[in-house]
Amino acid sequence: MVSRVIPVDPFDLVIFGGTGDLARRKILPGLYRRFWAGQVPDGFRIIGAARTDQDSDVWRDFVREAITEFVTEAKREPETIDAFLAQLHYIPVDARGDSGWPELAEMMRGDVTQAFYFSVGPGLFGDLAERLQRFNISCEDCRIVVEKPFGRDLSSAKALNATLAEHFDEQQIYRIDHYLGKETVQNLMAVRFANVLFEPLWNAQYIDHVQITVAEEVGVGGRGGYYDKSGAMRDMVQNHLMQLLCLTAMEPPSRFGPDAVRDEKLKVIRALDPLGQGDIVRGQYTAASGEPSYLEDVENPDSRTESFIALKVHVANWRWNGTPFYLRTGKRMKARNSEIVVTFKEPPHSIFDADAGSRANVLSIRLQPDEGMDLRVTIKEPGPGGMRLVDVPLDMSFADALGPEAADVPDAYERLIMDVIRGNQTLFMRGDEVEAAWAWTDPIIAAWTERGDRPLPYAPGSSGPEDALILMHKDGRRWREIA
Ligand code: NAD
């Protein structure tokens, strides 16, 4: 297979929060993997900037350990790691004070691409943006990358957007949603818009319903304090699940470019109907076999925050009238499994005997654990005994079709960071999109808060509360097994 990677210009990438958990687990190992793959240009530099007072050598040791822990052995060649670490520098910087900023200004090169990754809590975004400008570090073409959570409601998101807009243009702001960096999510767009096969059927006339599941096996663990103020709706639905919904439901953009794609996603969010009480099921996991319950995990016996949510959502436009989108996400579920499942309608008339069986076509787009797509088609069961129908997978496995290296797809973070360096915002959220998503979720959260609703208990290792199953059963449908 011929590699057709778009070349990248030399860059200075500053990681604010370079000693933090996200930098250690995702950003730095991801950058190393791109370097290992030969996709990072000569002359790049990565500058760690954080509160800890330490020198570059100590930070390089930290990065070496991160690579050892999070990069597969086959890619950990000692010379390659050394060459990567040689391009790394560290500067202690106080986001809330003035120390470290003159040194950082001194370090930056004016003649290369400059990007600043805000891998710190959102409370520091404004401080960083203001200081980048005040110390003359930011430039017209500089990019900033901001992490979730982007606000906790519409007013805080608006305030955050306004603060960033004081110092940077929208074209410079890259709001990360790492779900958009996943290979299969982008493949969803390729399947929809690079084939004539699917798009004519991609509407309420032929699609019965869509399910989007993001299930996690883990509980809230050490993040209990943060999570309890947030909950599944804010932490997962407002961003990740809504982004997946948008890509599934949007109209074909005129081109695969930042504004064309984001305009179409925005239209989907604006077309979402308000939700009624009967469209929502919220849950909290209980204790089991020595593992603490949600309430114990967050150390709040009266918490009404949900660790699980299922929703029935309507996109109110011509294309989707009558085709519901069922969304669910939760912690401590049966398995770690994220997928978009598009269930088509059954043929309007069957020419086969009733006992031949009939099945709907199902297209599933798996995000994790193994990225891939699968289309189930109905065929005749081989062998004698008349016409019996059976559904089989028309498997779209990248490795089988394109060679083993095609299966070695970059992690979402590394792909997105390289897009920042290339200056491509297509897979990043625009400010108005984020605000529109909060504008839809805010009244839903306000309604259950006002009613004082308590989430329903569900057993760890299950598919959520019984009522989530009923949400679909009452429509004559069922969730796909979480496996
Ligand atoms: P962390 O607490 O592990 O690290 C925070 C970093 O910020 C540290 O490097 C610390 O030195 C730096 N910092 C804090 N105060 C500072 C100051 N005044 N001046 C300079 N540096 C300062 O946090 P994290 O888990 O790495 O998360 C970083 C951001 O990414 C947060 O916004 C978080 O919500 C988001 N995020 C994290 C994850 C994850 O898996 N960890 C996932 C998604 C989003």
Side-chain angles (χ1 to χ4, degrees):
M1 193 183 55
V2 183
S3 169
R4 294 193 23 231
V5 176
I6 303 167
V8 180
D9 291 330
F11 61 85
D12 279 351
L13 170 66
V14 178
I15 306 174
F16 292 111
T19 58
D21 178 64
L22 184 67
R24 188 177 72 87
R25 289 192 304 111
K26 293 289 180 186
I27 304 172
L28 291 159
L31 283 160
Y32 170 76
R33 280 192 288 266
R34 292 298 87 209
F35 179 77
W36 178 88
Q39 287 163 12
V40 175
D42 290 343
F44 80 100
R45 289 190 318 184
I46 298 168
I47 300 155
R51 225 174 1 186
T52 316
D53 190 9
Q54 61 184 16
D55 64 21
S56 294
D57 280 339
V58 178
W59 192 56
R60 288 188 193 111
D61 289 343
F62 165 85
V63 179
R64 188 188 293 278
E65 278 169 29
I67 292 170
T68 309
E69 192 173 349
F70 296 105
V71 175
T72 50
E73 199 176 351
K75 296 181 182 172
R76 294 199 312 257
E77 291 147 3
E79 325 76 79
T80 314
I81 295 178
D82 287 344
F84 178 74
L85 295 179
Q87 301 302 115
L88 269 54
H89 307 269
Y90 181 86
I91 298 183
V93 167
D94 182 4
R96 292 232 155 96
D98 289 350
S99 68
W101 291 95
E103 291 79 1
L104 182 60
E106 179 79 13
M107 177 122 205
M108 300 304 292
R109 296 173 294 173
D111 56 349
V112 297
T113 300
Q114 296 181 30
F116 302 91
Y117 200 126
F118 291 9
S119 182
V120 296
L124 294 179
F125 290 176
D127 296 297
L128 293 176
E130 186 270 324
R131 282 168 179 75
L132 282 172
Q133 194 169 51
R134 177 149 59 86
F135 287 92
N136 282 327
I137 300 172
S138 53
C139 57
E140 224 170 80
D141 188 40
C142 287
R143 292 127 210 203
I144 59 167
V145 185
V146 295
E147 265 297 336
K148 83 171 214 189
F150 200 86
R152 56 170 281 109
D153 53 22
L154 179 57
S155 70
S156 55
K158 274 187 169 170
L160 209 46
N161 274 335
T163 305
L164 295 180
E166 281 174 33
H167 309 285
F168 293 93
D169 291 339
E170 182 61 34
Q171 290 72 17
Q172 298 178 281
I173 304 170
Y174 290 71
R175 295 175 194 78
I176 270 208
D177 185 321
H178 68 275
Y179 276 66
L180 296 182
K182 290 187 179 287
E183 185 76 8
T184 37
V185 172
Q186 291 165 63
N187 234 323
L188 168 62
M189 285 186 276
V191 164
R192 279 193 64 189
F193 304 128
N195 297 284
V196 291
L197 223 55
F198 293 102
E199 201 47 31
L201 308 180
W202 208 262
N203 54 52
Q205 197 183 342
Y206 293 105
I207 292 181
D208 179 71
H209 73 280
V210 176
Q211 301 181 19
I212 302 178
T213 296
V214 177
E216 296 176 273
E217 252 183 306
V218 295
V220 298
R223 290 171 71 225
Y226 158 78
Y227 191 90
D228 201 38
K229 292 195 198 77
S230 166
M233 184 72 157
R234 287 191 170 98
D235 192 46
M236 297 297 292
V237 176
Q238 185 274 344
N239 38 54
H240 307 315
L241 276 86
M242 281 183 75
Q243 287 295 319
L244 299 179
L245 165 68
C246 286
L247 294 177
T248 311
M250 72 182 183
E251 297 299 315
S254 60
R255 53 187 290 272
F256 189 56
D259 278 327
V261 170
R262 297 185 300 178
D263 285 347
E264 295 307 335
K265 286 196 292 165
L266 180 62
K267 284 186 210 159
V268 174
I269 302 174
R270 289 188 173 152
L272 297 179
D273 267 347
L275 292 192
Q277 201 174 343
D279 299 325
I280 307 167
V281 178
R282 295 161 69 233
Q284 272 177 352
Y285 56 83
T286 55
S289 48
E291 297 282 347
S293 67
Y294 176 79
L295 297 177
E296 288 160 341
D297 264 344
V298 300
E299 297 175 10
N300 178 4
D302 199 38
S303 171
R304 294 184 185 192
T305 305
E306 73 286 352
S307 61
F308 170 93
I309 192 163
L311 305 169
K312 179 181 172 186
V313 177
H314 289 280
V315 182
N317 62 18
W318 273 42
R319 184 186 283 263
W320 296 115
N321 184 36
T323 294
F325 285 70
Y326 298 92
L327 317 183
R328 67 177 164 170
T329 179
K331 296 199 175 286
R332 276 287 165 76
M333 299 189 67
K334 210 171 187 175
R336 177 168 170 263
N337 171 297
S338 299
E339 60 179 6
I340 302 169
V341 181
V342 179
T343 302
F344 291 85
K345 290 186 173 167
E346 290 188 9
H349 164 74
S350 177
I351 63 167
F352 305 108
D353 293 342
D355 62 1
S358 101
R359 290 172 176 83
N361 296 121
V362 176
L363 174 68
S364 60
I365 299 124
R366 220 173 28 252
L367 282 73
Q368 54 194 24
D370 313 303
E371 291 198 52
M373 284 201 197
D374 175 277
L375 175 67
R376 302 206 66 100
V377 292
T378 304
I379 60 161
K380 178 191 171 298
E381 194 174 283
M387 176 64 83
R388 283 190 313 275
L389 301 178
V390 62
D391 65 314
V392 294
L394 205 65
D395 200 352
M396 292 179 245
S397 157
F398 311 134
D400 291 349
L402 304 171
E405 65 270 42
D408 187 22
V409 294
D411 168 85
Y413 269 95
E414 56 198 81
R415 171 190 308 275
L416 292 173
I417 296 169
M418 296 321 280
D419 276 357
V420 174
I421 306 295
R422 289 190 190 99
N424 184 350
Q425 287 185 305
T426 308
L427 300 174
F428 295 82
M429 293 179 296
R430 209 168 52 191
D432 52 0
E433 254 186 276
V434 176
E435 289 183 14
W438 282 122
W440 182 73
T441 43
D442 269 7
I444 301 169
I445 297 172
W448 77 51
T449 309
E450 205 167 291
R451 289 193 302 264
D453 290 356
R454 279 187 186 280
L456 303 166
Y458 65 93
S462 70
S463 304
E466 190 71 20
D467 283 38
L469 306 181
I470 296 170
L471 184 75
M472 285 195 76
H473 283 178
K474 67 186 183 201
D475 294 342
R477 303 182 175 107
R478 56 193 308 152
W479 292 102
R480 264 249 291 224
E481 268 304 295
I482 295 175

